[in-house]
Amino acid sequence: MSVQDRMNDYWSRRAPAYDAGQHRPEHGGRDRALWAEVWSAALPPAPADVLDLGCGSGYVTTLLADLGHRVTGIDLADGMLEVARERVAGLPPTTRPPRLLHGDMVAPDFPDDSFDVLAGRYVLWTLREPGTALAAWRRVLRPDGVLAMVDSTWFPDGLGSHGSEDFTGSYDDRVRAALPLAETTSIEASAQALRDGGFRDVEVTPLTGLLELDRAHGAAPGHDVRLQFLLTARP
């Protein structure tokens, strides 16, 4: 089984529980309002053509569609896509439904200059072959487009410190060796990866509002409370 197959298998199994952790009732909708602020500040006015890289269970995909964008979400984990389709089916009839496709964020299968925005949340840390991926991202992004990614330093003590036997069994030494951004101790490593990949005007914005929400209610199950960052860049 390849490195990517192992990750796909893990996230397909995790999809329902992961999605539940993204829609916790104790947030009272405050989290979605905060995320809407984050993406609205990073993206051009709607409607823009947006590719959600590694869309998972569709949280960002559906939120950006609600904001009026034309959204395509891609993922390789079939279990995640199944949950995402359920989320899309629950969108109000006034929202343009996103496209959900089985696709590899390292090699998105779209023509050159297809999108105004490439967005992603919690995917940089689990990105194999960042150099290959970033070259592909620049190819499908329009010359005046924007890359907008949200991530954190989730595993500064190593992936083996996560604690879940299922997680550490899937993200074994072979997988960990293939993910150069997984165990970084500073978000600057991700920012530098974007620069090394040919992106310019890289900016890093700490998302303090989300940190306060997590401090009040706790992080998603199995995660520690950590400051998250928005990284934006131009091709």
Side-chain angles (χ1 to χ4, degrees), residues 124-156:
L124 288 175
W125 76 268
T126 193
L127 180 65
R128 75 180 203 280
E129 304 171 32
T132 300
L134 290 165
W137 295 358
R138 290 178 61 211
R139 179 185 64 78
V140 301
L141 190 58
R142 290 170 183 150
D144 58 349
V146 61
L147 176 71
M149 309 295 288
V150 172
D151 224 311
S152 185
T153 52
W154 300 112
F155 308 102

Side-chain angles (χ1 to χ4, degrees), residues 59-70:
Y59 188 99
V60 174
T61 313
T62 55
L63 191 151
L64 295 180
D66 272 337
L67 292 176
H69 295 291
R70 297 180 291 263

